[in-house]
Amino acid sequence: MTNDSKWLATEKRYDSGIYTKHDVVMVRGQGATVWDENGRSYIDCVAGYGVATIGHSHPDVVKAVQEQAAKLMAMPQTVPNDKRAEFLQELVGVLPQGLDRVFLCNSGTEAMEAAKKFAITGTGRSRFVAMKRGFSGRTLGALALTWEPKYREPFGDAVDNKNVTHITYGDVDALRAAVTEDVAAVILEPVQGEGGVRPASPEFMQEARRITKEKGALLILDEIQTGFCRTGKMFACEHFGVIPDGMTLAKAMAGGVPIGAFAMTGEVADRMPAGGHGTTFGGNPLSMAAGTAALRAMKREGLSEQAREKGEYMMEKLRALQSPKIREVRGLGLMIGVELKEKSAPYIHAMEHDEGVLCLAATPLVVRFLPPAVISREQIDAVVAAFGRVLDNVNPRAERQAELAAAQDDMGQAQVSQGESIQTE
Ligand SMILES: *Cc1c(COP(=O)(O)O)cnc(C)c1O
């Protein structure tokens, strides 16, 4: 199953090498389907890590980008722009009540950096409380909040997390103890994504709101993955009846075009000194035009309702597989995790190679599905049927032994141990 594509070889040759590359070159997408360079189609339950919620190459976003590209692409945020004003109004229109001030940037991790800085100036404090299994991004500031040691350890002391307390997600007593008078903000995902697709309990969310208010700390929700219809509501906080003081946003917000934002209350925004933060590409007219088109399409197409219904349908079908290899099916809307009793990587690999379905890992045991909300019932049926076959047919232990045997045939007795490792995402 080697791929001798020149594009694959070239990309692997010149890329920084930090990514474990798949063995396929994707060239086109439409709705929930993507195609490789040989014309093979795949049902895409990765959707660019949850970016393509409105579907790949949504016609409204394509049109907005084409028109704006021909008109104006660069204009810094000191200079007002029609598309930026329009997007801000559209975004504030869907945000929870009170979050009516927005810092615009280009990615999720940048939104987290902004959240930290605004929380510090907004409260005059500098400690943070974050969650075990939480994921906040990869820049040094966001990384300090990210719990998983493998993301932080290669950088040692450069990741300054002395000011961060990590508590167990869902532990109200630990949260109460951690939110001391010097805490600027509690930062959490309403559904942990990277951490294994774990929805928060309503009590935890509501207590987090109550405790932060009591102690004068901010509650900042990381809705980078959960936002924009993914969980069956425009924002996941709506499931819990909780309105935060700040919210980080990115991924699906502009229908595939890079974008990020930190939305906050006027009280928080007003305490940042003028010039206290900034970014060159943030709020650029191209992503603003794409964002407005994406938000309008989400509302017009009732995308959150689609995600809710299809998510319930898909989880029901996954549970009905009743595979002995499945420990649990969980999620919210179309953010779905299937925890296996063994490593998920061989199954994810087989889904792509044998079945033409893209899905991804979330911790080594969990298979994560983040399909576009425009995925059809037929496509969901096909994904679940494929997953059932893969669970039945893939036998990682037998395959590993076959690999070992092949390696021994090839190389005499040498290098047997190499076949032992299973690659995870
Ligand atoms: C993806 C993600 C980030 C980081 O966003 P990038 O755009 O990759 O920098 C942060 N938090 C959560 C919850 C995410 O899912």
Side-chain angles (χ1 to χ4, degrees):
M1 281 205 287
T2 53
N3 183 342
D4 56 7
S5 158
K6 70 171 179 179
W7 300 124
L8 185 68
T10 305
E11 182 166 326
K12 281 183 164 177
R13 165 67 183 82
Y14 294 116
D15 185 83
S16 70
I18 56 177
Y19 301 101
T20 307
K21 299 279 180 187
H22 290 217
D23 204 14
V24 64
V25 178
M26 294 299 181
V27 296
R28 192 162 71 86
Q30 194 71 67
T33 309
V34 291
W35 285 267
D36 71 15
E37 62 180 330
N38 300 316
R40 182 183 180 196
S41 72
Y42 300 76
I43 302 175
D44 186 7
C45 297
V46 175
Y49 301 139
V51 166
T53 306
I54 65 169
H56 289 283
S57 292
H58 189 288
D60 295 3
V61 175
V62 171
K63 183 162 172 282
V65 167
Q66 283 173 339
E67 286 178 4
Q68 192 58 36
K71 204 169 161 202
L72 181 68
M73 287 196 272
M75 190 53 60
Q77 301 199 63
T78 48
V79 184
N81 167 257
D82 56 341
K83 293 297 165 185
R84 191 183 303 128
E86 191 176 43
F87 175 73
L88 285 168
Q89 187 169 39
E90 197 68 44
L91 177 61
V92 168
V94 297
L95 282 168
Q97 196 81 41
L99 300 186
D100 59 3
R101 300 283 292 280
V102 181
F103 170 78
L104 294 165
C105 53
N106 312 287
S107 69
T109 200
E110 273 184 77
M112 295 307 309
E113 295 288 333
K116 286 181 80 173
K117 288 179 75 174
F118 276 101
I120 291 166
T121 54
T123 60
R125 305 170 176 188
S126 56
R127 277 202 77 73
F128 292 92
V129 175
M131 302 297 131
K132 291 181 180 171
R133 293 203 172 106
F135 181 85
S136 294
R138 311 289 207 115
T139 54
L140 290 171
L143 203 49
L145 302 170
T146 293
W147 177 71
E148 173 60 50
K150 81 172 179 213
Y151 293 137
R152 288 188 276 110
E153 274 168 359
F155 311 101
D157 291 347
V159 184
D160 186 0
N161 63 357
K162 292 188 300 294
N163 285 322
V164 181
T165 310
H166 285 100
I167 63 149
T168 300
Y169 191 65
D171 186 340
V172 173
D173 293 335
L175 182 65
R176 193 172 292 117
V179 185
T180 46
E181 299 293 320
D182 56 348
V183 168
V186 172
I187 298 180
L188 62 94
E189 301 155 81
V191 182
Q192 290 191 322
E194 292 285 317
V197 190
R198 296 167 200 280
S201 69
E203 307 81 76
F204 185 63
M205 290 290 285
Q206 282 148 17
E207 283 298 301
R209 179 62 288 183
R210 218 171 51 76
I211 292 166
T212 45
K213 200 165 263 170
E214 257 172 43
K215 298 283 179 69
L218 306 181
L219 176 64
I220 294 175
L221 295 181
D222 179 347
E223 293 245 18
I224 291 169
Q225 194 167 141
T226 53
F228 302 104
C229 309
R230 171 59 53 195
T231 69
K233 301 269 189 195
M234 186 56 82
F235 300 102
C237 65
E238 297 167 28
H239 290 284
F240 305 99
V242 164
I243 297 183
D245 306 293
M247 204 187 252
T248 52
L249 305 166
K251 293 202 163 102
M253 184 161 48
V257 174
I259 194 168
F262 178 57
M264 68 199 115
T265 62
E267 214 174 306
V268 173
D270 285 339
R271 291 191 181 139
M272 173 68 87
H277 196 42
T279 162
T280 297
F281 280 123
N284 70 82
L286 195 65
S287 61
M288 296 293 99
T292 299
L295 293 183
R296 288 181 181 162
M298 285 174 200
K299 288 194 286 189
R300 196 184 59 243
E301 295 173 13
L303 215 64
S304 48
E305 191 55 22
Q306 288 197 51
R308 189 184 66 73
E309 283 172 11
K310 290 171 188 174
E312 279 168 14
Y313 177 73
M314 187 163 173
M315 278 193 272
E316 210 170 280
K317 292 212 70 165
L318 284 164
R319 288 192 183 107
L321 286 175
Q322 297 203 326
S323 165
K325 288 177 176 168
I326 293 179
R327 179 169 288 141
E328 190 185 21
V329 177
R330 58 176 179 254
L332 199 56
L334 278 174
M335 189 168 173
I336 298 174
V338 180
E339 183 164 332
L340 302 182
K341 294 173 184 166
E342 49 192 285
K343 293 229 161 101
S344 60
Y347 300 94
I348 292 169
H349 182 83
M351 285 290 272
E352 178 174 325
H353 276 260
D354 305 341
E355 302 286 351
V357 176
L358 305 181
C359 49
L360 73 159
T363 77
L365 297 181
V366 177
V367 180
R368 181 167 34 156
F369 296 95
L370 298 172
V374 297
I375 191 171
S376 68
R377 299 267 166 156
E378 293 70 33
Q379 285 177 310
I380 292 174
D381 292 346
V383 169
V384 176
F387 193 53
R389 281 192 296 275
V390 161
L391 288 173
D392 285 346
N393 297 338
V394 173
N395 182 346
R397 189 159 303 157
E399 277 171 24
R400 209 147 60 216
Q401 270 158 7
E403 270 174 36
L404 288 177
Q408 281 180 340
D409 282 350
D410 285 341
M411 297 175 250
Q413 300 299 319
Q415 294 189 4
V416 178
S417 64
Q418 274 202 337
E420 298 277 20
S421 66
I422 306 180
Q423 224 160 28
T424 53
E425 288 288 299

